[in-house]
Amino acid sequence: MKKIVLAASMFIATATTFAQKGVEDGSKYGHGEDSVRCIMNLVQYDDAVKAKDYKGAYEPWTIVFNECPLAKKSIYNDGVKIAKALYKTTKDEQYYELLLKIYDQRIKYLGNDKSYPESYIKGMKALDILTYKDTDEDNKVAIGLFAESFKGDAKTIQPAFVQKYVLSTVNLYKKGIYTAENVVNNYITAGDVITSIQNSGKTFKTEKDKAEFDELVATTKEQVDQIFAQSGAADVETLNNVFGPQLEANKNNVDWLKKVNKFLSRTKGGDESELFFATSESLHNIEPAASSARGLARMNLKKGNSDDAISYYKQAIELEDDNADKAKYYYELSTVYFSQHNFGGAKGAALSAASLRDGWGDPYILLGKIYAAGAPSIGSEEWEKKAGYWAAVDKFYKAKSVDESVASEANQLIAQYSQYFPNKEDLFMHGVNVGESYTVGGFIGEATKVRAK
């Protein structure tokens, strides 16, 4: 501050009749009397901003902003503070218009700044547009600005740009202004941008700063995924319309195939579509992956080739690293074995599914059904053949104990299969008492308790 005041004093002492503003000659402060005027107003508004006297800062800041726009970078950040504060207290539209003008002028004079380039400034402008003017037209403008900001250096892209980009897109879709295809395409763009941010090599002063930023990016990705999932835009028809025409040109594009394949696998009915089968086959020929193997398993099931489906499910399980997805593949494999009446194979796959995902009741429901279906094949006496229903009902109880969402189905199945328990007379005749421990033989091979109908 002393240097600035000293410089101003020197200019006052040496000023001639010649004067020229910085905005006119591209200099930092201008020349002659105009440079003195610039520096003095800069000092005045700077003191006011530090005191949070934004009303008092407005007039001298305006002179600096208009007459010497290259005086220093901070006049733009300070200007944003002033415009926001005055708009908040007065609701006068001139301050909102000024806010936008500040961003535009910053682009004009400082758009080539390496740390905060034009792309970054456009993203920040879009955020403020959405903060103060959330109309449909404003959302469109903001989306366009965010899209432009994504073209810049990934190191300067803020996670908030990506989150708001998707949120605004979904808002316009829900109003019928944007199509489902707009949502899908912008969501894909958002995912690519997040990846570019993660791979940008952005540097930080401390490890703590890096960890916090990484967490912010991860949280943003979760938010974006949630916004998209709740949008209702992703259905099979939309995905086919978006990606179907691109298939021929991308048959050898591994990244594209993986992206589309994963999209479809997570969309209701998507894993039954021809596009899913086509991407799975192309992907598997180039680079076998869990998702493509599952796709081929589903395709073979649809064609009635159960044995080939089992083979592909085993590949999917072997190639998958994510336990949740691996559990899903085991569950689906169990249903294929079950359809073949291979009760032992079905049991093993269902147990594997249950072990890989806590709190999931579906595998236990399936196990109970497998046990119930296979019960008549165990033992020679009639009561022994019915003993398998004890083990089946045990699994239904287990299902609802770990997962409340299946409780209703589990209760229905318990009531249904409890009717097949042996009666007390049969048990008594064979020296078996209610409440005793009993091990069911055959493929079930589990201990249970004796119960009567």
Side-chain angles (χ1 to χ4, degrees):
M1 189 64 65
K2 289 180 180 179
K3 290 182 180 179
I4 293 175
V5 174
L6 178 62
S9 300
M10 291 174 65
F11 274 116
I12 291 171
T14 61
T16 66
T17 56
F18 170 78
Q20 195 167 23
K21 297 179 177 66
V23 72
E24 296 169 348
D25 64 8
S27 64
K28 198 168 184 180
Y29 301 113
H31 290 87
E33 293 177 1
D34 283 336
S35 66
V36 174
R37 172 180 163 87
C38 174
I39 293 173
M40 293 305 294
N41 279 285
L42 191 154
V43 172
Q44 185 178 345
Y45 102 71
D46 190 57
D47 288 341
V49 167
K50 287 178 180 176
K52 296 185 178 181
D53 176 14
Y54 298 114
K55 185 177 180 181
Y58 175 69
E59 186 174 342
W61 172 86
T62 301
I63 292 171
V64 175
F65 178 72
N66 289 328
E67 298 183 10
C68 41
L70 289 170
K72 60 177 183 176
K73 293 180 184 179
S74 61
I75 65 173
Y76 297 98
N77 288 335
D78 292 337
V80 167
K81 291 179 185 176
I82 293 168
K84 286 183 178 181
L86 295 179
Y87 181 67
K88 184 177 180 180
T89 55
T90 68
K91 300 302 178 185
D92 191 328
E93 288 299 309
Q94 69 167 318
Y95 297 118
Y96 174 73
E97 294 301 325
L98 174 61
L99 180 63
L100 302 188
K101 184 180 178 181
I102 292 168
Y103 286 116
D104 293 339
Q105 183 163 302
R106 182 173 177 177
I107 289 172
K108 179 180 179 180
Y109 290 105
L110 298 174
N112 292 325
D113 185 82
K114 288 185 178 180
S115 298
Y116 303 103
E118 179 177 346
S119 56
Y120 168 83
I121 300 168
K122 286 182 175 179
M124 295 303 295
K125 179 181 178 181
L127 288 181
D128 276 345
I129 288 174
L130 294 177
T131 299
Y132 296 104
K133 300 287 182 180
D134 196 22
T135 67
D136 296 339
E137 192 57 37
D138 290 317
N139 273 270
K140 287 183 183 178
V141 171
I143 289 169
L145 288 169
F146 285 135
E148 292 176 29
S149 77
F150 298 155
K151 298 175 184 177
D153 186 349
K155 295 186 183 72
T156 67
I157 300 173
Q158 302 302 298
F161 298 174
V162 188
Q163 193 259 5
K164 291 293 186 181
Y165 174 72
V166 175
L167 184 60
S168 291
T169 301
V170 171
N171 286 341
L172 293 180
Y173 166 69
K174 289 182 177 179
K175 292 183 176 183
I177 298 170
Y178 273 11
T179 66
E181 291 182 27
N182 292 138
V183 178
V184 172
N185 283 323
N186 286 7
Y187 172 68
I188 292 168
T189 297
D192 292 340
V193 173
I194 289 173
T195 299
S196 69
I197 293 173
Q198 292 172 324
N199 298 330
S200 67
K202 184 180 175 74
T203 56
F204 300 88
K205 291 182 179 179
T206 67
E207 285 299 318
K208 181 182 178 182
D209 290 342
K210 183 180 185 307
E212 289 177 350
F213 185 79
D214 289 344
E215 184 178 354
L216 176 61
V217 174
T219 300
T220 300
K221 184 180 185 308
E222 291 176 4
Q223 291 172 339
V224 166
D225 288 343
Q226 186 175 16
I227 292 168
F228 177 69
Q230 294 175 350
S231 70
D235 55 35
V236 178
E237 182 180 358
T238 299
L239 295 178
N240 280 328
N241 289 339
V242 172
F243 298 117
Q246 304 173 24
L247 175 61
E248 189 61 35
N250 287 282
K251 280 190 172 180
N252 296 313
N253 184 339
V254 174
D255 291 338
W256 185 91
L257 291 168
K258 283 182 177 179
K259 176 173 64 181
V260 176
N261 197 262
K262 197 166 189 176
F263 252 124
L264 289 165
S265 69
R266 294 182 176 181
T267 301
K268 185 177 181 180
D271 57 3
E272 297 292 338
S273 68
E274 290 302 319
L275 181 59
F276 180 70
F277 298 149
T279 55
S280 295
E281 192 166 24
S282 294
L283 182 58
H284 210 71
N285 289 336
I286 301 168
E287 183 182 300
S291 61
S292 62
R294 178 181 179 259
L296 292 174
R298 303 289 291 179
M299 181 178 71
N300 277 279
L301 276 180
K302 193 172 183 179
K303 293 179 178 180
N305 303 326
S306 297
D307 289 340
D308 288 338
I310 289 171
S311 177
Y312 280 118
Y313 269 125
K314 288 180 177 179
Q315 285 188 43
I317 290 165
E318 184 178 348
L319 293 167
E320 184 58 66
D321 294 324
D322 183 83
N323 280 345
D325 284 337
K326 186 175 287 193
K328 179 172 67 176
Y329 303 157
Y330 266 122
Y331 179 85
E332 292 176 2
L333 173 60
S334 177
T335 65
V336 180
Y337 278 133
F338 191 15
S339 70
Q340 294 182 327
H341 299 285
N342 180 348
F343 300 128
K347 171 191 172 182
L351 285 172
S352 294
S355 70
L356 288 167
R357 180 175 159 187
D358 294 334
W360 189 24
D362 289 343
Y364 294 107
I365 293 287
L366 180 57
L367 272 169
K369 291 178 179 179
I370 294 166
Y371 288 1
S377 67
I378 298 171
S380 56
E381 300 288 342
E382 186 64 23
W383 74 271
E384 288 179 303
K385 295 181 181 296
K386 294 180 177 181
Y389 297 120
W390 298 332
V393 168
D394 289 345
K395 295 306 175 188
F396 300 140
Y397 275 113
K398 175 70 173 179
K400 70 175 186 175
S401 73
V402 300
D403 185 357
E404 290 183 1
S405 70
V406 301
S408 178
E409 181 183 6
N411 287 332
Q412 291 176 5
L413 292 167
I414 290 168
Q416 177 183 342
Y417 286 105
S418 293
Q419 298 179 53
Y420 300 121
F421 288 172
N423 58 45
K424 288 184 178 180
E425 291 76 11
D426 286 343
L427 293 173
F428 179 76
M429 290 292 294
H430 291 88
V432 180
N433 299 311
V434 172
E436 287 181 344
S437 178
Y438 179 83
T439 299
V440 181
F443 77 91
I444 295 178
E446 288 189 12
T448 182
K449 284 190 179 298
V450 175
R451 277 154 284 181
K453 181 165 62 176

